[in-house]
Amino acid sequence: MRVTWRDHSPHSEAFDDIYFNPLHGKEESLYVFWQGNLLNEKLAGNVQTVFTIAETGFGTGLNFLCTAQSFIGQSKEAQCLHFISVEKYPLALTDLAKSHTCWPEFKSLSDQLIQQYPPSTPGVYTLAFLEGRIKLTLIIGDAASGFSQLSAMVDAWYLDGFAPSKNPEMWSDALFQQMARLSHKGTTFATFTAAGAVRRGLQAVGFEVEKRKGFGQKRERLVGRYLQDNIPEPTVTPWFDLPSQARPEQVVISGAGLAGCTTAWALAQRGIKVTVLDAADKPAQGGSGNPQGALYTKLSVKPTLQSELHLCASHFSLNLLRQLDPEQTFWSECEVVQIATDDAERTRQQALINEAAYPQEIVEDGSKDTLSKLTQQTVTHDGLIMKLAGWVSPADFCRALLNHPCIDYVPDSQLTELTYQDGMWIVQTAAQKTYHTSTVILCQAEATSQFVQTQHLPLKPIRGQVSIIPASVTNQKLNQVICGDGYISPPFRDHYCFGATFELKSTSLEITDSGHDTNLHNLAKVLPDLAADFEKSKHLLTGRVSFRCSTPDYLPIVGPAPDPETTLERFAPLRKDRKWKFSNVSASHLPGLYVNCGHGSKGLVTTPLCGEYLAALICAEPLPMRKPIHDALNPSRFLIKNLIRKQI
Ligand code: SAM
C-alpha cells in the first residue's frame, strides 16, 4: 500500500485516512483497544495460558506494539499472548520502519517485528517475540475472507481499519459473522467508531453493544461483548474436522529428524515435556542427515496451495533459524539462484515473472549476465533469483532444536509397538523400554506407516545420493546456493556438497560412482568451470545416501491420525456420490495419535511450520495455517480419495 508522509505519520491516499493519530497514537490505541476490551481486568482475573486478540487492519503495527508492551507489563509469567491481525494492503517494510521511529519506547519489539516482517504475498505468517511468549499471526488478505479460514477462539477484538465511511467494504456483515464464529461467551470487542451500521451489524450476530466516550475530540466509540455460547457449525468436509484434546503434560515423539525435532521444539516452547525416541544413535541419520540442504520455495507460475505453504513455511523456517542461531554458524541466509537448464523451464520461469504474483522481495528474474555477476561464476543460462532463502546443515539444526530443557532425547530407541489401552498409548521400544503417554507423534519418514494404525498412509522412499568434495580443490568460491537439475551450496566446514540424485527404483545404501557422475554432470550444466575443477579431483569425492519420503500429491502428511476403519464406515456414501451431504457425521481419530511425515526434499522448508501447526493443534491454540492448507495436509485425505475413486 502506498502511503504519503505528513509530519512523520503515514497517510493512505487510497482511503484518504490516517493510520494513527499523529499526536497521541499510542494513548489512543491504549484507550480505545486495550482499555475498551478491559484487558487489565481480564488478564488479572484470568488463569488461561494463551490469551488471543484479533485485529482488523495491521497497518503500521502500532496497536500490536502497544498491546505487546502492555501485556509484558501486566501479565503473569505463565500467560502468553497470541495477537492475530489481518491486513489486505500491507505497508512496505521501509514505511513500517519509518512509522516506528515515532515510538522509541517500542524499539526492542519494533526491531523484532521488522526482522520478521513477512512478504506482501497473501498467506498466514507467524512471528515470535519474547522467546515465543508473544506470537503474532499476520494474515495477508481481506479481513472477512481471512477470518473465514482461521481456526481460533478469540478473547478480544480490535476493530480498526479505516473509518466505515471511507472503507465500507471491510465493515461488512460477512466480517461480523466471522467475528461471531470465532468468539466465545464473554469475548469482548472495542472500536474507535460509533457508526450505526457497525453497531447494528454486531448486534445482529449476537454482540451486546455499548457507546462510550471517544478519545480526545471524538464524541463516541463502541465496546461490547459476545453473549452466546458458540456451537461449532457443521462443515462440508467433515472428514477434515480436527479433534480437540486436553493439553498434555508430556508427549512422545518417534523420529529425531527434522519433522520430529521441530515438532518437539514447538511443544517444548509451550512448556510441554517431550521424549524424542529414535532408532539411530544420533539425531538426523535419515533424510535429514546430508551436510547441507537448500532452503527455498519452488514457486508455481500462479499461486497454489503448495506454493503458499512453501512461502509461508520458508518465512517461518528462516525466523526460527535466526532465533536459534543468530550468528549463522550452521546455516546462512543467502539467495538461491534457480538456473533454467532447458527451454521448458525457462518458459515456465518467464511465465512466472510475467504473471507477477510474487513481489521482488521473493523472486527476481536474472539474465545469464546478471547471474554471472551475482555469483562471480560463468553462468550460461538465464534463471531466477530467489530471496527468502538460504542453506542449512540439517543435522546441526536438529541438534540445536533438541537442546531444550523440556526435551528428553533418547537415541537407540526404535519404536516397535504402539497400543492404546485405558485412554493411554503404550509405546514399546526395541531396547525394551515402555512409555505411557496420552499423545504420540510419529515422525519417522516412510517408517511412519509401519504400524497397524498408520499402514494406510501412502509413503514412498526416493533414493538420493549427494557428492562431497574438499573446497580446496578449486579457487572459486560460491556465496549463493545454485540450483539446476540438482543444487550446490556455498562451502561449509571446508567442503562443497552437491547433488542429489533422484532414483525411484533403487533401495541401495551404497555410494556409487554413477551417482557421483550424475551429480557432476548436472553441476556442469549450471556451473561448468566449478564442475571442471571437481572433475579433476574426482578421486577425492565422498558421498552420502538417504531417502526422501514422498507422497502421491507431493504434500506432507501432517495432522491427527484417522481411525481407518471407522472413517471408511462413516464416509462410505462417498463411494456412491462424491458430493454426498453428511449431516451429524464427524471425523473419527485415534485419540492422541498424530503424524508428521512426507516432506520429500523440502523438509527444511515445511517441517518447522508443520511442527508449529501440530503443537498449536494439540494445545488448542490458533492454528498457523489457513484451513484449505491444513486440509491439504490432513492424513485422512488418502482414505477419502480412495473412497471417492472406489478403490477401497
Ligand atoms: N491497526 C493499525 C495500526 O496499529 O497501525 C492501523 C490500521 S489503519 C487505520 C487501517 C488498516 O486496515 C490499513 O492498514 C488498511 O490497509 C487495512 N484494511 C483496509 N481494508 C481492509 C480489509 N478489507 N481487510 C483487511 N485490512 C484492511
Side-chain angles (χ1 to χ4, degrees), residues 145-346:
S145 76
F147 285 136
S148 73
Q149 297 174 347
L150 175 73
S151 308
M153 207 26 89
V154 174
D155 299 305
W157 289 95
Y158 287 13
L159 282 180
D160 207 351
F162 298 122
S165 56
K166 301 190 172 182
N167 186 17
E169 288 80 19
M170 194 198 82
W171 302 83
S172 63
D173 289 346
L175 171 66
F176 302 140
Q177 277 151 16
Q178 288 309 319
M179 286 176 61
R181 183 182 73 83
L182 296 166
S183 296
H184 55 79
K185 197 173 186 170
T187 294
T188 53
F189 82 87
T191 180
F192 64 91
T193 179
V198 174
R199 180 174 43 82
R200 288 188 295 276
L202 287 166
Q203 281 168 335
V205 296
F207 283 90
E208 174 189 68
V209 183
E210 285 175 50
K211 278 187 188 166
R212 290 281 158 82
K213 157 98 188 67
F215 181 80
Q217 307 294 326
K218 291 186 189 162
R219 250 181 0 124
E220 290 173 322
R221 69 190 158 103
L222 301 177
V223 296
R225 67 178 62 237
Y226 192 64
L227 294 178
Q228 299 170 12
D229 280 317
N230 219 334
I231 302 154
E233 284 167 23
T235 56
V236 271
T237 50
W239 46 87
F240 288 146
D241 289 352
L242 295 169
S244 57
Q245 67 165 88
R247 183 188 152 95
E249 298 268 303
Q250 193 267 347
V251 169
V252 170
I253 290 181
S254 178
L258 282 167
C261 295
T262 49
T263 309
W265 192 86
L267 287 162
Q269 281 292 90
R270 290 162 165 85
I272 293 172
K273 297 251 175 269
V274 188
T275 304
V276 179
L277 309 174
D278 195 284
D281 61 349
K282 288 194 275 296
Q285 293 304 289
S288 307
N290 287 339
Q292 281 167 293
L295 195 172
Y296 74 105
T297 309
K298 193 155 187 209
L299 296 169
S300 52
V301 173
K302 291 187 191 212
T304 57
L305 285 183
Q306 191 185 43
S307 67
E308 183 182 324
L309 167 70
H310 282 192
L311 202 55
C312 299
S314 297
H315 169 264
F316 189 85
S317 295
L318 287 169
N319 281 335
L320 175 57
L321 285 158
R322 288 183 193 127
Q323 191 182 336
L324 277 185
D325 181 24
E327 309 294 324
Q328 303 197 8
T329 61
F330 63 75
W331 70 288
S332 173
E333 192 165 359
C334 62
E335 289 110 346
V336 171
V337 177
Q338 211 182 322
I339 296 177
T341 50
D342 57 41
D343 291 346
E345 173 59 7
R346 186 58 192 154

Side-chain angles (χ1 to χ4, degrees), residues 490-535:
F492 176 54
R493 294 184 182 142
D494 301 324
H495 285 79
Y496 275 106
C497 172
F498 60 105
T501 61
F502 193 89
E503 297 163 76
L504 288 165
K505 298 221 167 90
S506 170
T507 53
S508 165
L509 270 168
E510 215 173 292
I511 297 158
T512 62
D513 286 343
S514 68
H516 287 325
D517 287 341
T518 304
N519 289 337
L520 282 169
H521 174 77
N522 286 338
L523 182 65
K525 284 200 245 171
V526 292
L527 297 174
D529 295 350
L530 192 66
D533 283 351
F534 289 177
E535 189 74 46

Side-chain angles (χ1 to χ4, degrees), residues 1 15 17-20 33 55-64 85-91 141-144 160-162 167 169-170 192:
M1 163 71 81
F15 290 94
D17 205 351
I18 50 169
Y19 280 79
F20 52 75
F33 297 110
E55 176 190 52
T56 53
F58 186 71
T60 64
L62 174 61
N63 282 340
F64 167 70
S85 189
V86 62
E87 176 54 65
K88 191 169 180 178
Y89 314 103
L91 250 67
D142 176 67
D160 207 351
F162 298 122
N167 186 17
E169 288 80 19
M170 194 198 82
F192 64 91

Side-chain angles (χ1 to χ4, degrees), residues 591-607:
L593 184 65
Y594 299 83
V595 295
N596 184 2
C597 57
H599 295 271
S601 52
K602 287 284 176 200
L604 283 168
V605 175
T606 48
T607 55

